[in-house]
Amino acid sequence: MTNHIYDSTDTPPNFTTVVDLLRYRAIYQPQQTAYTFLVDGETQEVSITYQELDLQSQNIAAYLQFLGARGERALLLFHPGLEYIVAFFACLYAGVVAVPAYPPRRNQKMSRLKAIIADAQPKVLLTTEALLTNINQFTSEPELARLRCLAIDKIEEHQASWQKTALESSTLAFLQYTSGSTGTPKGVMVSHGNLLHNSALIYKCFEHTLNSKGVIWLPPYHDMGLIGGVLQPLYGGFPVILMSPENFLQKPLRWLTAISHYKATTSGGPNFAYELCANKITDEQKATLDLSSWQVAFNGAEQIRAETQERFAAAFAGYGFRSSAFYPCYGMAETTLIVSGGLKEAEPVLEIINRDALEQKRVVPASQENYQAQKLVSCGHLLEQQIIIAHPETLTCCLPNEVGEIWVSGSSVAQGYWNLPEETQRTFQAYLADTKAGPFLRTGDLGFLKDGELFVTGRLKDLIIIRGRNHYPQDIELTVERSHPALRQGYGAAFSVDVDGEERLVIAFEVERSYLRNLDVNEVVMAIREAVRQQHEILVYAILLLKTGSIPKTSSGKIQRHACRSGFQAVSLDVVADWTENPQSKVEQHLQPEVKYLSEQVQAPEQKTQLNGNNFGERSHLPLAPTEQTIQHWLVTQIANQLNVHSDEIDIQEPFVRYGLDSAVVLGLCDDLAQWLGYNLEPTIFWDYPNIETLARYLVKNSSLSLNNPSC
């Protein structure tokens, strides 16, 4: 650690490792609160100082050293909270490579977690005693059975003291598994040097100081939540207030309330978070907010939409929010986190271009009145890293008016993919064919540079990004083809389309010829939706069942996902039957007579029920203690509305996952149910009681207690 006399006005000194950074804070700011976690997303908070974090991390690190885990991997399975943060730093202190992952939920398949364990080969599993009980139900899984499971809240002070490990800037700190692939997960190898370099970039471009304050709800298992939400406040020496993503998704108001209450200067998330707040927070709720302290509202991880930022700014301008606080940025796990960002307190830079020309990889300005105009938001300028735009085929630099693949070079670029040398060389060690300049990271994203500003226009690969999470189409396609025997194996495509400013999933699959005449559309559609929800936790927007032999393919026999997307948008695919969340967009002219009726039954929606309308959704019309039947009726009606189906298609004994509801929808439904009942509910209640019948029975059993104690 660099010798340094602490001064509250100083920028952070140079460090070799993250361990040196935390030890520095523990010495010079021992009693300052480092992290505050809102247990309920609102008022129930727990905190930890830098000194407490240092000592607790040392104690667990000493035990890991005693177990001989140095140089090994440790799987971290925690709910968001202080225990996860302590465990992460304990791994760094012990010289153990941390492998953060989502803890398994009840009634959930473990495909992705098992794939991560098989790839990382961890020696130990760190968790809490409360979670260990849940994890034990999976010990029959061979991947988990061989792990040494440790509940960190039960590790007493170890007899042997922590021994500082010799670490270098290049020492591997943790494996960041990309959030998409379940079959072949890729662990990005992030070093101490990567973390410190990227933290310095964020600190500089966000203009952080010791007087900054953060509010973060992002998942701590991924780059934006971990580096931006946990490590950046440590690097800057300022406090951060954390909450779980479930608490935010359940009630988006909690995020803005925390910013208002704690006078946060920095907060943000993917584009969908701003959209959610603009759509769900009422005028009455807005009146409780003061967002005037918010200086950096970062927006990244998925496509940034000018329309969303405009709606959010208009919705909250009267409550202290300034549109100049928006901070569009671009990054990825392979670059630790940030690649480019704008100027603080500056209006986002916009570019209006011709949409048709963009499809041809050309940048042609357009007037806003032009019907082909598309408004793009700049992701900022270069941050002490080199960014070039290259032709993905010729590997040469593009002209200024051309769209190409974004290539990045700099000290934040990670070391590569764990145990994937060929993929590492292909992705992290690219060179320009003509000048031989390099190495560069090939991001797989398309974009262009104009006046030093980076504009991201799409993706070279068929990666699907929904609510800030990556999903690989080949994984989804494998899930779909296994969901029902009527689907022709290897003859399907998963792709995304823009629906009302949000990226949504579409499935197009050929039907086996033997099933065409007597196809049960309802059964096949429900099987696809349930399988995708269980395996990938996303909601399917539309499903097209195609005539055998009709899906677009290349001359070499590969499925053309882009052609499928274009065919879906142009209504030109040879459709046997289809289903969509929006019945208005149904492709009726392609339906065969023998299946058209069934398709219509799947799609026909009921009249939507509003929570505050003069109908069944209004709580005041119900008795004080609702019955099982009234709760069942409410749940059936709301789920039918979400799915755009008739209520009689909802079976109260079927698991919620059967209906393909994604996590965000389920958590929003949980909040609506809590408002209707008049008391708080745990965000996990739909997983703990996994169908309408058991959930209604539980709620009636506990309703009298809950009405007397609204915090239940």
PDB file of all heavy atoms in Angstrom, residues 653-674:
ATOM      1  N   GLN A 653     -54.439 -24.475  -8.821  1.00  0.00           N
ATOM      2  CA  GLN A 653     -53.491 -25.463  -8.292  1.00  0.00           C
ATOM      3  C   GLN A 653     -52.212 -25.557  -9.122  1.00  0.00           C
ATOM      4  O   GLN A 653     -51.271 -26.233  -8.732  1.00  0.00           O
ATOM      5  CB  GLN A 653     -54.161 -26.841  -8.215  1.00  0.00           C
ATOM      6  CG  GLN A 653     -55.305 -26.892  -7.211  1.00  0.00           C
ATOM      7  CD  GLN A 653     -55.949 -28.272  -7.152  1.00  0.00           C
ATOM      8  OE1 GLN A 653     -55.947 -29.009  -8.136  1.00  0.00           O
ATOM      9  NE2 GLN A 653     -56.485 -28.622  -5.998  1.00  0.00           N
ATOM     10  N   GLU A 654     -52.167 -24.859 -10.239  1.00  0.00           N
ATOM     11  CA  GLU A 654     -50.969 -24.870 -11.071  1.00  0.00           C
ATOM     12  C   GLU A 654     -49.923 -23.911 -10.494  1.00  0.00           C
ATOM     13  O   GLU A 654     -50.268 -22.833 -10.009  1.00  0.00           O
ATOM     14  CB  GLU A 654     -51.299 -24.448 -12.505  1.00  0.00           C
ATOM     15  CG  GLU A 654     -52.051 -25.493 -13.296  1.00  0.00           C
ATOM     16  CD  GLU A 654     -51.146 -26.640 -13.737  1.00  0.00           C
ATOM     17  OE1 GLU A 654     -49.924 -26.542 -13.552  1.00  0.00           O
ATOM     18  OE2 GLU A 654     -51.681 -27.628 -14.263  1.00  0.00           O
ATOM     19  N   PRO A 655     -48.643 -24.262 -10.533  1.00  0.00           N
ATOM     20  CA  PRO A 655     -47.603 -23.344 -10.056  1.00  0.00           C
ATOM     21  C   PRO A 655     -47.605 -22.043 -10.858  1.00  0.00           C
ATOM     22  O   PRO A 655     -47.938 -22.034 -12.048  1.00  0.00           O
ATOM     23  CB  PRO A 655     -46.307 -24.125 -10.289  1.00  0.00           C
ATOM     24  CG  PRO A 655     -46.717 -25.553 -10.398  1.00  0.00           C
ATOM     25  CD  PRO A 655     -48.085 -25.544 -10.995  1.00  0.00           C
ATOM     26  N   PHE A 656     -47.217 -20.948 -10.183  1.00  0.00           N
ATOM     27  CA  PHE A 656     -47.152 -19.662 -10.872  1.00  0.00           C
ATOM     28  C   PHE A 656     -46.213 -19.723 -12.074  1.00  0.00           C
ATOM     29  O   PHE A 656     -46.449 -19.074 -13.092  1.00  0.00           O
ATOM     30  CB  PHE A 656     -46.690 -18.560  -9.906  1.00  0.00           C
ATOM     31  CG  PHE A 656     -47.692 -18.232  -8.836  1.00  0.00           C
ATOM     32  CD1 PHE A 656     -47.399 -18.444  -7.499  1.00  0.00           C
ATOM     33  CD2 PHE A 656     -48.936 -17.715  -9.170  1.00  0.00           C
ATOM     34  CE1 PHE A 656     -48.316 -18.141  -6.510  1.00  0.00           C
ATOM     35  CE2 PHE A 656     -49.874 -17.417  -8.192  1.00  0.00           C
ATOM     36  CZ  PHE A 656     -49.564 -17.633  -6.850  1.00  0.00           C
ATOM     37  N   VAL A 657     -45.129 -20.496 -11.952  1.00  0.00           N
ATOM     38  CA  VAL A 657     -44.172 -20.583 -13.063  1.00  0.00           C
ATOM     39  C   VAL A 657     -44.808 -21.189 -14.307  1.00  0.00           C
ATOM     40  O   VAL A 657     -44.324 -20.992 -15.412  1.00  0.00           O
ATOM     41  CB  VAL A 657     -42.922 -21.398 -12.665  1.00  0.00           C
ATOM     42  CG1 VAL A 657     -42.149 -20.710 -11.573  1.00  0.00           C
ATOM     43  CG2 VAL A 657     -43.294 -22.814 -12.239  1.00  0.00           C
ATOM     44  N   ARG A 658     -45.890 -21.931 -14.120  1.00  0.00           N
ATOM     45  CA  ARG A 658     -46.592 -22.538 -15.258  1.00  0.00           C
ATOM     46  C   ARG A 658     -47.088 -21.471 -16.230  1.00  0.00           C
ATOM     47  O   ARG A 658     -47.243 -21.711 -17.418  1.00  0.00           O
ATOM     48  CB  ARG A 658     -47.766 -23.359 -14.719  1.00  0.00           C
ATOM     49  CG  ARG A 658     -48.742 -23.887 -15.750  1.00  0.00           C
ATOM     50  CD  ARG A 658     -48.248 -25.186 -16.329  1.00  0.00           C
ATOM     51  NE  ARG A 658     -49.298 -25.889 -17.021  1.00  0.00           N
ATOM     52  CZ  ARG A 658     -49.687 -25.638 -18.274  1.00  0.00           C
ATOM     53  NH1 ARG A 658     -49.133 -24.681 -18.953  1.00  0.00           N
ATOM     54  NH2 ARG A 658     -50.639 -26.354 -18.835  1.00  0.00           N
ATOM     55  N   TYR A 659     -47.334 -20.257 -15.699  1.00  0.00           N
ATOM     56  CA  TYR A 659     -47.912 -19.203 -16.514  1.00  0.00           C
ATOM     57  C   TYR A 659     -46.864 -18.250 -17.082  1.00  0.00           C
ATOM     58  O   TYR A 659     -47.206 -17.230 -17.673  1.00  0.00           O
ATOM     59  CB  TYR A 659     -48.961 -18.436 -15.703  1.00  0.00           C
ATOM     60  CG  TYR A 659     -50.094 -19.329 -15.275  1.00  0.00           C
ATOM     61  CD1 TYR A 659     -50.250 -19.722 -13.948  1.00  0.00           C
ATOM     62  CD2 TYR A 659     -50.983 -19.841 -16.219  1.00  0.00           C
ATOM     63  CE1 TYR A 659     -51.273 -20.583 -13.568  1.00  0.00           C
ATOM     64  CE2 TYR A 659     -52.004 -20.706 -15.848  1.00  0.00           C
ATOM     65  CZ  TYR A 659     -52.151 -21.070 -14.521  1.00  0.00           C
ATOM     66  OH  TYR A 659     -53.155 -21.926 -14.152  1.00  0.00           O
ATOM     67  N   GLY A 660     -45.579 -18.580 -16.894  1.00  0.00           N
ATOM     68  CA  GLY A 660     -44.532 -17.827 -17.564  1.00  0.00           C
ATOM     69  C   GLY A 660     -44.352 -16.404 -17.093  1.00  0.00           C
ATOM     70  O   GLY A 660     -43.905 -15.549 -17.850  1.00  0.00           O
ATOM     71  N   LEU A 661     -44.699 -16.105 -15.834  1.00  0.00           N
ATOM     72  CA  LEU A 661     -44.527 -14.751 -15.313  1.00  0.00           C
ATOM     73  C   LEU A 661     -43.076 -14.532 -14.911  1.00  0.00           C
ATOM     74  O   LEU A 661     -42.510 -15.324 -14.166  1.00  0.00           O
ATOM     75  CB  LEU A 661     -45.430 -14.534 -14.092  1.00  0.00           C
ATOM     76  CG  LEU A 661     -46.933 -14.735 -14.317  1.00  0.00           C
ATOM     77  CD1 LEU A 661     -47.682 -14.642 -13.001  1.00  0.00           C
ATOM     78  CD2 LEU A 661     -47.465 -13.715 -15.301  1.00  0.00           C
ATOM     79  N   ASP A 662     -42.450 -13.442 -15.386  1.00  0.00           N
ATOM     80  CA  ASP A 662     -41.063 -13.213 -15.012  1.00  0.00           C
ATOM     81  C   ASP A 662     -40.991 -12.562 -13.631  1.00  0.00           C
ATOM     82  O   ASP A 662     -42.010 -12.176 -13.043  1.00  0.00           O
ATOM     83  CB  ASP A 662     -40.317 -12.393 -16.068  1.00  0.00           C
ATOM     84  CG  ASP A 662     -40.770 -10.947 -16.158  1.00  0.00           C
ATOM     85  OD1 ASP A 662     -41.514 -10.489 -15.281  1.00  0.00           O
ATOM     86  OD2 ASP A 662     -40.357 -10.262 -17.119  1.00  0.00           O
ATOM     87  N   SER A 663     -39.764 -12.432 -13.106  1.00  0.00           N
ATOM     88  CA  SER A 663     -39.575 -11.966 -11.732  1.00  0.00           C
ATOM     89  C   SER A 663     -40.143 -10.576 -11.520  1.00  0.00           C
ATOM     90  O   SER A 663     -40.758 -10.285 -10.489  1.00  0.00           O
ATOM     91  CB  SER A 663     -38.089 -11.986 -11.371  1.00  0.00           C
ATOM     92  OG  SER A 663     -37.580 -13.291 -11.424  1.00  0.00           O
ATOM     93  N   ALA A 664     -39.913  -9.681 -12.491  1.00  0.00           N
ATOM     94  CA  ALA A 664     -40.386  -8.311 -12.340  1.00  0.00           C
ATOM     95  C   ALA A 664     -41.909  -8.262 -12.263  1.00  0.00           C
ATOM     96  O   ALA A 664     -42.481  -7.517 -11.459  1.00  0.00           O
ATOM     97  CB  ALA A 664     -39.882  -7.452 -13.495  1.00  0.00           C
ATOM     98  N   VAL A 665     -42.588  -9.071 -13.082  1.00  0.00           N
ATOM     99  CA  VAL A 665     -44.050  -9.110 -13.063  1.00  0.00           C
ATOM    100  C   VAL A 665     -44.546  -9.675 -11.742  1.00  0.00           C
ATOM    101  O   VAL A 665     -45.483  -9.146 -11.131  1.00  0.00           O
ATOM    102  CB  VAL A 665     -44.583  -9.946 -14.248  1.00  0.00           C
ATOM    103  CG1 VAL A 665     -46.086 -10.164 -14.120  1.00  0.00           C
ATOM    104  CG2 VAL A 665     -44.257  -9.258 -15.561  1.00  0.00           C
ATOM    105  N   VAL A 666     -43.914 -10.749 -11.272  1.00  0.00           N
ATOM    106  CA  VAL A 666     -44.324 -11.370 -10.010  1.00  0.00           C
ATOM    107  C   VAL A 666     -44.155 -10.398  -8.841  1.00  0.00           C
ATOM    108  O   VAL A 666     -45.039 -10.273  -7.984  1.00  0.00           O
ATOM    109  CB  VAL A 666     -43.517 -12.664  -9.756  1.00  0.00           C
ATOM    110  CG1 VAL A 666     -43.728 -13.160  -8.336  1.00  0.00           C
ATOM    111  CG2 VAL A 666     -43.935 -13.744 -10.745  1.00  0.00           C
ATOM    112  N   LEU A 667     -43.040  -9.687  -8.814  1.00  0.00           N
ATOM    113  CA  LEU A 667     -42.798  -8.747  -7.716  1.00  0.00           C
ATOM    114  C   LEU A 667     -43.754  -7.568  -7.780  1.00  0.00           C
ATOM    115  O   LEU A 667     -44.208  -7.068  -6.741  1.00  0.00           O
ATOM    116  CB  LEU A 667     -41.347  -8.278  -7.744  1.00  0.00           C
ATOM    117  CG  LEU A 667     -40.333  -9.356  -7.355  1.00  0.00           C
ATOM    118  CD1 LEU A 667     -38.923  -8.945  -7.741  1.00  0.00           C
ATOM    119  CD2 LEU A 667     -40.404  -9.652  -5.861  1.00  0.00           C
ATOM    120  N   GLY A 668     -44.068  -7.110  -8.973  1.00  0.00           N
ATOM    121  CA  GLY A 668     -45.064  -6.054  -9.107  1.00  0.00           C
ATOM    122  C   GLY A 668     -46.431  -6.533  -8.662  1.00  0.00           C
ATOM    123  O   GLY A 668     -47.183  -5.800  -8.006  1.00  0.00           O
ATOM    124  N   LEU A 669     -46.768  -7.775  -8.989  1.00  0.00           N
ATOM    125  CA  LEU A 669     -48.031  -8.364  -8.562  1.00  0.00           C
ATOM    126  C   LEU A 669     -48.081  -8.482  -7.044  1.00  0.00           C
ATOM    127  O   LEU A 669     -49.127  -8.263  -6.420  1.00  0.00           O
ATOM    128  CB  LEU A 669     -48.186  -9.740  -9.215  1.00  0.00           C
ATOM    129  CG  LEU A 669     -49.556 -10.415  -9.136  1.00  0.00           C
ATOM    130  CD1 LEU A 669     -50.604  -9.582  -9.830  1.00  0.00           C
ATOM    131  CD2 LEU A 669     -49.484 -11.800  -9.771  1.00  0.00           C
ATOM    132  N   CYS A 670     -46.925  -8.800  -6.439  1.00  0.00           N
ATOM    133  CA  CYS A 670     -46.843  -8.884  -4.982  1.00  0.00           C
ATOM    134  C   CYS A 670     -47.168  -7.541  -4.341  1.00  0.00           C
ATOM    135  O   CYS A 670     -47.884  -7.464  -3.336  1.00  0.00           O
ATOM    136  CB  CYS A 670     -45.441  -9.359  -4.581  1.00  0.00           C
ATOM    137  SG  CYS A 670     -45.190  -9.527  -2.810  1.00  0.00           S
ATOM    138  N   ASP A 671     -46.653  -6.455  -4.922  1.00  0.00           N
ATOM    139  CA  ASP A 671     -46.935  -5.122  -4.388  1.00  0.00           C
ATOM    140  C   ASP A 671     -48.409  -4.767  -4.556  1.00  0.00           C
ATOM    141  O   ASP A 671     -49.039  -4.218  -3.642  1.00  0.00           O
ATOM    142  CB  ASP A 671     -46.053  -4.091  -5.091  1.00  0.00           C
ATOM    143  CG  ASP A 671     -46.262  -2.690  -4.534  1.00  0.00           C
ATOM    144  OD1 ASP A 671     -46.293  -2.547  -3.293  1.00  0.00           O
ATOM    145  OD2 ASP A 671     -46.397  -1.742  -5.325  1.00  0.00           O
ATOM    146  N   ASP A 672     -48.977  -5.094  -5.726  1.00  0.00           N
ATOM    147  CA  ASP A 672     -50.403  -4.831  -5.944  1.00  0.00           C
ATOM    148  C   ASP A 672     -51.253  -5.603  -4.936  1.00  0.00           C
ATOM    149  O   ASP A 672     -52.238  -5.074  -4.394  1.00  0.00           O
ATOM    150  CB  ASP A 672     -50.804  -5.239  -7.365  1.00  0.00           C
ATOM    151  CG  ASP A 672     -50.176  -4.345  -8.425  1.00  0.00           C
ATOM    152  OD1 ASP A 672     -49.729  -3.237  -8.077  1.00  0.00           O
ATOM    153  OD2 ASP A 672     -50.113  -4.771  -9.597  1.00  0.00           O
ATOM    154  N   LEU A 673     -50.894  -6.844  -4.677  1.00  0.00           N
ATOM    155  CA  LEU A 673     -51.625  -7.661  -3.713  1.00  0.00           C
ATOM    156  C   LEU A 673     -51.517  -7.065  -2.314  1.00  0.00           C
ATOM    157  O   LEU A 673     -52.508  -7.015  -1.565  1.00  0.00           O
ATOM    158  CB  LEU A 673     -51.082  -9.096  -3.734  1.00  0.00           C
ATOM    159  CG  LEU A 673     -51.699 -10.086  -2.736  1.00  0.00           C
ATOM    160  CD1 LEU A 673     -53.202 -10.217  -2.948  1.00  0.00           C
ATOM    161  CD2 LEU A 673     -51.022 -11.460  -2.860  1.00  0.00           C
ATOM    162  N   ALA A 674     -50.316  -6.600  -1.949  1.00  0.00           N
ATOM    163  CA  ALA A 674     -50.128  -5.995  -0.630  1.00  0.00           C
ATOM    164  C   ALA A 674     -50.994  -4.747  -0.474  1.00  0.00           C
ATOM    165  O   ALA A 674     -51.608  -4.527   0.582  1.00  0.00           O
ATOM    166  CB  ALA A 674     -48.647  -5.654  -0.423  1.00  0.00           C
TER     167      ALA A 674
END
